[in-house]
Amino acid sequence: MNKAITIIAILAIVFLAGILLFGAGEEPKASGQVYFGITDAAADMGNISEITMTTERVELHSQTEGWMTASSEQESFNLLELNASGQNQLWAQADVNEGAYDRVRVTIASVEVTTEDGETTEATLPSNHVTLDGTVNVTTGATSSVLLDVEADRSIHVAADSSFVFAPVIQMETRSNSNVEVTSENMLTITGGSVDADVTFGVDLAGNSQANFSLDADQAIELNEDGSINVDLGGESATSSDDNDSSADVETDTEINAETDGAGAGVEVETEANVQ
C-alpha cells in the first residue's frame, strides 16, 4: 500500500514538473499596430498620364533588432491617380514590437510610365531602395502610422535617349498614438497623435539615399548600352548600383506579422539575412 502511494506521489510530481517546464515559455513581446500608406502630391506631369510604382518590401530598423520586414507583398500604386484623388492608399498593416525605430526602407520592384499617346515603358531606377532616416515610435496597444508621399514630379526624369529615369523623392510623415481609418477600397485616413518625423529623402544617380535631395530638373542623364545609368564622378565614370545605398546595413530580418491590402490575410515573413 505504501509502495503504491509512493509511486502515485512520484508520478504526480513528474506531471507537475512537466507542466511547469513546458508551460514556462517566453512571454510574447508587447506590440502595437503600424499602418503604412502611399500617396502622391505631384504637380502637373506634362505628357505623362500614368505612373505605376510596384513595391516589393517595406522594412523598419531599430538599434536593438536591426532590419525587420513589415511587408514583403508586392503591391502596385497608380501615383497620378492618388494625386488626382488626394487619397492615401493602404500599403500594409503590421503588428510591430514596442520600441523606437530609426529608419524605414522601401524596396521598389519597378516603375512603369504611360504617356498620353498610350505608350508604356519601364523607367530606369538608380537603385531599388530608398532609405529614410526618421523615428517611428511603437507603443503597446496603440496605433502608429507611416505615410509615404512619393513626389512623382520630382522623381521622374528624361535621359538623353528620351527614356525615363525614376530617382525617387519621398516625403515621410510618421505619427504615434494616431487614429487610422481604412475604407473598403483600402484608402486610409490618419488623424491625431504625435508627429514623430517629417522628412524628405531622395535618391541620386549613384543610388544613394540623401536627406532633402532631388535631382535637378535639367540634370543630364546618360544611359549605358546595358541600360544602366552612367554616373559622372568628377572625371571618372561609374555605374549606378543597388549596393550604393548609403544607409544600407548587413542585418538579419526579424519576423513581423503583417496584413497587406491585397487580400487582407495575415502574412508571416520568414527570418532571412538581408544584405543591401
Side-chain angles (χ1 to χ4, degrees), residues 63-100:
Q63 294 296 325
T64 57
E65 300 187 61
W67 285 107
M68 296 179 295
T69 300
S71 175
S72 60
E73 288 291 300
Q74 196 169 87
E75 300 289 341
S76 294
F77 303 92
N78 186 331
L79 297 179
L80 299 191
E81 186 176 274
L82 287 174
N83 174 51
S85 66
Q87 293 182 304
N88 310 319
Q89 186 172 339
L90 176 66
W91 180 358
Q93 174 186 347
D95 290 326
V96 178
N97 292 340
E98 181 180 73

Side-chain angles (χ1 to χ4, degrees), residues 203-222:
V203 174
D204 63 21
L205 289 179
N208 301 309
S209 297
Q210 300 184 41
N212 302 314
F213 175 84
S214 64
L215 288 180
D216 191 288
D218 298 323
Q219 171 78 49
I221 303 175
E222 294 184 0

Side-chain angles (χ1 to χ4, degrees), residues 53 57-59 67 91 103-108 125 127-133 148 150 155 166-172 200-204 207-210 242 245 247-248:
M53 182 180 74
R57 184 184 296 260
V58 60
E59 301 163 278
W67 285 107
W91 180 358
R103 279 182 282 174
V104 174
R105 183 163 63 193
V106 175
T107 301
I108 300 172
L125 301 172
S127 173
N128 291 89
H129 307 288
V130 187
T131 303
L132 303 100
D133 296 343
L148 301 166
V150 183
S155 302
F166 194 83
V169 177
I170 301 178
Q171 186 267 334
M172 178 178 74
T200 300
F201 276 75
V203 174
D204 63 21
N208 301 309
S209 297
Q210 300 184 41
D242 288 346
D245 186 347
S247 300

Side-chain angles (χ1 to χ4, degrees), residues 33-37 90 92-94 143-147 180 182 188 190:
Q33 283 195 323
V34 180
Y35 287 82
F36 296 84
L90 176 66
Q93 174 186 347
T143 299
S144 301
S145 60
V146 178
L147 181 61
V180 178
V182 181
L188 72 165
I190 303 169

Side-chain angles (χ1 to χ4, degrees), residues 2-258:
N2 291 336
K3 185 176 181 180
I5 294 174
T6 301
I7 293 174
I8 293 172
I10 292 173
L11 291 174
I13 293 172
V14 171
F15 178 73
L16 290 174
I19 293 177
L20 292 174
L21 177 63
F22 292 103
E26 292 185 6
E27 293 185 4
K29 292 183 178 180
S31 65
Q33 283 195 323
V34 180
Y35 287 82
F36 296 84
I38 293 282
T39 190
D40 176 31
D44 179 61
M45 296 297 296
N47 71 329
I48 296 175
S49 61
E50 187 174 314
I51 297 178
T52 302
M53 182 180 74
T54 300
T55 57
E56 205 165 70
R57 184 184 296 260
V58 60
E59 301 163 278
L60 291 172
H61 180 273
S62 76
Q63 294 296 325
T64 57
E65 300 187 61
W67 285 107
M68 296 179 295
T69 300
S71 175
S72 60
E73 288 291 300
Q74 196 169 87
E75 300 289 341
S76 294
F77 303 92
N78 186 331
L79 297 179
L80 299 191
E81 186 176 274
L82 287 174
N83 174 51
S85 66
Q87 293 182 304
N88 310 319
Q89 186 172 339
L90 176 66
W91 180 358
Q93 174 186 347
D95 290 326
V96 178
N97 292 340
E98 181 180 73
Y101 297 82
D102 58 3
R103 279 182 282 174
V104 174
R105 183 163 63 193
V106 175
T107 301
I108 300 172
S110 65
V111 173
E112 291 187 337
V113 180
T114 302
T115 54
E116 290 182 344
D117 59 9
E119 183 178 353
T120 299
T121 58
E122 185 169 334
T124 299
L125 301 172
S127 173
N128 291 89
H129 307 288
V130 187
T131 303
L132 303 100
D133 296 343
T135 302
V136 180
N137 287 318
V138 179
T139 306
T140 300
T143 299
S144 301
S145 60
V146 178
L147 181 61
L148 301 166
D149 178 1
V150 183
E151 301 182 18
D153 55 333
R154 300 175 65 194
S155 302
I156 198 74
H157 302 271
V158 181
D161 64 355
S162 298
S163 61
F164 292 105
V165 172
F166 194 83
V169 177
I170 301 178
Q171 186 267 334
M172 178 178 74
E173 181 189 85
T174 70
R175 290 175 180 258
S176 54
N177 298 305
S178 56
N179 300 310
V180 178
E181 295 182 4
V182 181
T183 70
S184 57
E185 291 80 24
N186 285 317
M187 298 299 171
L188 72 165
T189 302
I190 303 169
T191 58
S194 302
V195 176
D196 297 316
D198 187 355
V199 298
T200 300
F201 276 75
V203 174
D204 63 21
L205 289 179
N208 301 309
S209 297
Q210 300 184 41
N212 302 314
F213 175 84
S214 64
L215 288 180
D216 191 288
D218 298 323
Q219 171 78 49
I221 303 175
E222 294 184 0
L223 301 184
N224 298 312
E225 291 184 2
D226 62 358
S228 61
I229 299 172
N230 185 34
V231 182
D232 185 3
L233 300 177
E236 299 181 3
S237 62
T239 301
S240 61
S241 169
D242 288 346
D243 296 329
N244 287 339
D245 186 347
S246 60
S247 300
D249 290 314
V250 178
E251 301 284 0
T252 300
D253 278 346
T254 301
E255 177 183 306
I256 299 178
N257 293 325

